[in-house]
Amino acid sequence: MIRTTVLACLLFAPAMALANDGFGGLSATGLTFGQTDAVAMEEEDLFIGIEHIRVAYVFRNTTAADVTGEVIFPLPPIPLAGMMESSWNLPEDRERENLVNFTATVDGAPVPVQIDRIAVIEPPWEEGRPLNAQYDTPGRDVTAELAALGIPLTVNPDTVVAMLLAMTPDQQAKIAAAGLAEYFPTDTGSVDYVAPAWSVILRYHWTQTFPAGAVVKIVHDYENRPAGGLFGWEDPPTADYMQYQVDRYCVDAGTSRAMAKALAYTDESGETYSMGMAWNIDYVLRTANSWAGPIGKFRLTLDKGAATNVVSLCADGIQKTGPTTFVMEKTNFTPDRDLEILVAGPLER
């Protein structure tokens, strides 16, 4: 049953609650180390594909003393209510501890990575809120409140809903009063539907020492789980939602024509449509600004997955290097915006 209150919240959530023909997903990010003036990122080699992301870094401790701290790879908040109302590009096994199969090596050797989970009540959706804000200010931490109730920090909404419905009436009243969930009573007063209000955040981390004056090479990779779904396009773009895509992904006239051509097909009745599949890949570049100074050498390799796919993003100096690959290189690079990438392609017919 679609409940009005929940639906009203979800319709305004960016890439989290799409139409029935779409699925929600996660933005991706790099490594953070707090704010340091001691360790510089000399190189970042970033590969982004539809299903996989790999980043190779070269860090240098620019001081005469060892520096030790936590290297952190955060995922954005995953809203349980959003997962109840739409499909999500997450593993079939929602109970998997390492949700995106994150791995890391330091100087070529695998490093054991800890995985922390916290729960937050996210702030209200705000148009134009930068991608990095969901990592920097994710919301009110309610981890301890859920632990006191015995509720695990799973991203499986079925598990959570079953536990919330099994609570006593007094417990349900306290949970609702604390803003942790919204219960929906039936006409007879019984409760058969509940919407959890929190989101779950996974943070991968390990303790790392950067020796004085030395270079440390860190490589990490993980599954890319972007949002996406059915995608229609016409050229020239006229609908409001198309103009939003034009602005967000810097879709120029040539790319617009290419998308309309790639997505075009004719059905059995002879009707011609322009409909396909799209992936909305977000990558938070500005976490790199937590390290000392600019990125000495930055290289982005983007793989659109298939030669028939079309890609668009706001980036200067990106060059096609193969049937599916594009490369952008920068020196002394200080990211001032995050990557938002549109990949669109024909449906399998």
Side-chain angles (χ1 to χ4, degrees), residues 56-81:
Y57 303 92
V58 176
F59 295 106
R60 183 182 295 276
N61 181 346
T62 61
T63 72
D66 290 354
V67 175
T68 299
E70 288 297 295
V71 174
I72 303 170
F73 169 77
L75 289 180
I78 303 172
L80 294 176

Side-chain angles (χ1 to χ4, degrees), residues 152-324:
L153 300 186
T154 177
V155 295
N156 185 343
D158 293 340
T159 299
V160 171
V161 166
M163 296 187 72
L164 289 173
L165 290 175
M167 297 287 179
T168 67
D170 285 346
Q171 288 174 317
Q172 291 181 1
K174 291 178 181 178
I175 288 169
L180 296 175
E182 185 170 3
Y183 287 89
F184 296 88
T186 65
D187 293 339
T188 61
S190 62
V191 174
D192 66 352
Y193 188 90
V194 60
W198 68 88
S199 302
V200 176
I201 297 174
L202 279 73
R203 287 176 176 163
Y204 299 78
H205 64 98
W206 70 92
T207 303
Q208 180 65 47
T209 295
F210 297 88
V215 163
V216 173
K217 297 180 180 180
I218 298 178
V219 178
H220 72 85
D221 61 71
Y222 54 99
E223 298 171 3
N224 193 14
R225 296 284 179 173
L230 289 179
F231 182 76
W233 194 260
E234 63 180 22
D235 181 65
T238 56
D240 289 343
Y241 85 88
M242 292 182 186
Q243 187 57 52
Y244 172 80
Q245 305 283 351
V246 168
D247 296 340
R248 181 178 180 185
Y249 299 110
C250 295
V251 179
D252 59 24
T255 302
S256 177
R257 289 192 296 271
M259 282 200 296
K261 181 178 179 180
L263 275 55
Y265 76 100
T266 302
D267 66 15
E268 295 177 354
S269 67
E271 247 347 285
T272 299
Y273 300 91
S274 184
M275 177 66 67
M277 181 76 179
W279 294 266
N280 308 103
I281 302 173
D282 295 334
Y283 188 92
V284 181
L285 275 178
R286 281 179 282 185
T287 50
N289 295 334
S290 64
W291 304 87
I295 305 169
K297 294 181 180 179
F298 175 80
R299 177 183 175 91
L300 166 67
T301 301
L302 175 60
D303 191 330
K304 64 179 181 177
T308 52
N309 290 346
V310 179
V311 64
S312 190
L313 70 159
C314 300
D316 295 327
I318 193 162
Q319 302 290 328
K320 187 173 183 178
T321 57
T324 65

Side-chain angles (χ1 to χ4, degrees), residues 14 27 43 101 197 237-238 256 266 315 333:
S27 60
E43 298 180 24
N101 278 334
T238 56
S256 177
T266 302
F333 179 48

Side-chain angles (χ1 to χ4, degrees), residues 17-59:
L18 306 177
N20 290 335
D21 55 6
F23 50 83
L26 306 178
S27 60
T29 184
L31 302 180
T32 67
F33 192 68
Q35 189 66 47
T36 178
D37 294 324
V39 181
M41 188 186 295
E42 291 194 337
E43 298 180 24
E44 178 178 357
D45 189 348
L46 169 62
F47 170 88
I48 297 179
I50 294 173
E51 297 181 347
H52 181 248
I53 290 178
R54 180 182 184 274
V55 196
Y57 303 92
V58 176
F59 295 106

